[in-house]
Amino acid sequence: MLIYDFDGSFEGLLTALYQSSIRKEKPDQILPRQGLEVNWLDQYVTIETDLAAAEKVVRSIRSRISEQAYEHILHVFQSERPERGFWIDRYVRLGFRLGAAVDDHLQEEIVRTVQYQSQRVSREVHRMTGLIRFIRSSSGIYYAKYEPDHNITMFLAPHFADRLADQSWIIHDIRRGIAALYNKKEWILTDSVPAALASWTDCDDAFEDIWRTYHRQIAITERTNPRLQKNLMPLRYWKHLTEFTVDQAQTEKGGEIKPYGFGFPRIHD
């Protein structure tokens, strides 16, 4: 089995695609170097990231396939699934043969797989635009921490840079230790985030109380639907929502997180 290993970056994966074309090879797997388990029966090729080569691949995908195909690839990469390198490689190869029509060929398993994985990431991005909760510090900086299933902070930042353009804010993925920082002009993505930021409590309690009061007031007790609530707002997200309180001891014993007030507002049966 021929395995390409790369540094784990998106540019590294694109470089692997470029090298496979130059070498006229079809790797069986393209895997991140970190945590890679070596099997001495396999052949390994170490790919060093080449930004110029990666940019050539991006231009080729956008021009020879489509912008939509590039977006699929980027979303699939951010899914962080172990198979993502293989999926992207096979999808791009097919795309170079079929052009912009590649996404119409749903009889191809690789097309269905890439579209499905891309949609999973896109759905979480859309969900998080409504579930991100900011707290306000005494210095006026808004801070939000969350733990998404996929690495989606780079997709959320443009949305909040537009919606909260006149505020300074931080969106912190505490699972991956990365954050988007916005200074009222531009945003940057960084993995140099102090670990202590995850437990930051310097917030305006009055701001949170206003949100909880709003949440209680718009809820309609007679129309509460817990099952639908959990479908639209999965339990794994609740601990970072201002309108919910967590009994830590009960949670550790397998208990449910208790809603603050009547739960998700205006959910109809």
Side-chain angles (χ1 to χ4, degrees):
M1 182 180 291
L2 176 61
I3 298 175
Y4 281 11
D5 64 84
F6 66 105
D7 63 3
S9 68
F10 185 56
E11 293 78 12
L13 175 60
L14 296 177
T15 303
L17 301 185
Y18 179 82
Q19 287 295 327
S20 70
S21 175
I22 295 298
R23 297 165 180 258
K24 301 188 183 304
E25 295 177 337
K26 191 175 183 179
D28 299 287
Q29 291 288 348
I30 303 178
L31 300 171
R33 201 167 300 134
Q34 185 176 7
L36 180 64
E37 296 183 4
V38 177
N39 183 335
W40 298 109
L41 297 177
D42 296 328
Q43 177 187 354
Y44 293 85
V45 176
T46 297
I47 303 297
E48 299 298 338
T49 300
D50 182 335
L51 297 181
E55 182 57 33
K56 288 180 181 179
V57 176
V58 170
R59 288 198 301 267
S60 294
I61 292 171
R62 285 174 158 165
S63 62
R64 295 177 55 188
I65 309 177
S66 67
E67 188 67 31
Q68 177 177 276
Y70 176 71
E71 291 178 3
H72 281 325
I73 291 166
L74 187 57
H75 280 77
V76 171
F77 182 81
Q78 297 303 114
S79 74
E80 299 183 325
R81 289 288 300 271
E83 310 93 336
R84 59 185 175 169
F86 173 82
W87 291 335
I88 291 172
D89 176 62
R90 296 303 189 265
Y91 176 74
V92 169
R93 289 174 184 272
L94 184 63
F96 283 156
R97 285 202 291 111
L98 300 177
V102 63
D103 285 314
D104 297 330
H105 287 252
L106 296 178
Q107 74 276 14
E108 298 287 348
E109 182 180 1
I110 189 59
V111 173
R112 296 195 303 273
T113 299
V114 165
Q115 289 187 8
Y116 173 71
Q117 295 298 329
S118 176
Q119 288 166 3
R120 288 188 65 197
V121 174
S122 296
R123 280 196 297 268
E124 186 174 41
V125 172
H126 178 71
R127 176 180 287 163
M128 281 300 175
T129 59
L131 295 183
I132 288 288
R133 298 291 185 263
F134 289 92
I135 61 174
R136 185 175 59 183
S137 74
S138 56
S139 62
I141 298 175
Y142 287 84
Y143 170 75
K145 62 181 177 181
Y146 76 135
E147 299 177 69
D149 297 331
H150 308 106
N151 190 355
I152 61 173
T153 306
M154 65 178 294
F155 301 124
L156 287 173
H159 170 81
F160 286 102
D162 179 58
R163 296 296 297 273
L164 298 175
D166 60 342
Q167 304 292 337
S168 296
W169 49 254
I170 301 171
I171 297 176
H172 185 192
D173 181 344
I174 61 176
R175 175 182 296 177
R176 297 168 180 82
I178 63 174
L181 314 177
Y182 180 72
N183 64 359
K184 300 183 183 180
K185 295 180 181 179
E186 59 185 1
W187 64 270
I188 63 169
L189 200 64
T190 179
D191 58 3
S192 301
V193 184
L197 193 60
S199 58
W200 187 34
T201 58
D202 177 20
C203 63
D204 185 342
D205 292 332
F207 182 75
E208 292 192 336
D209 288 340
I210 290 172
W211 174 250
R212 292 190 180 108
T213 300
Y214 165 77
H215 184 267
R216 287 196 300 268
Q217 291 296 322
I218 67 172
I220 301 175
T221 310
E222 294 77 14
R223 294 179 177 176
T224 298
N225 184 337
R227 179 177 297 179
L228 181 58
Q229 177 183 33
K230 291 175 183 177
N231 286 338
L232 298 176
M233 187 189 299
L235 285 171
R236 63 184 180 275
Y237 299 134
W238 286 18
K239 64 180 177 179
H240 297 303
L241 300 181
T242 305
E243 62 268 33
F244 287 76
T245 57
V246 181
D247 183 334
Q248 187 63 33
Q250 186 180 25
T251 301
E252 291 175 354
K253 294 178 182 179
E256 291 189 349
I257 299 174
K258 303 241 184 230
Y260 189 101
F262 296 124
F264 198 76
R266 300 185 182 276
I267 292 182
H268 300 268
D269 292 314

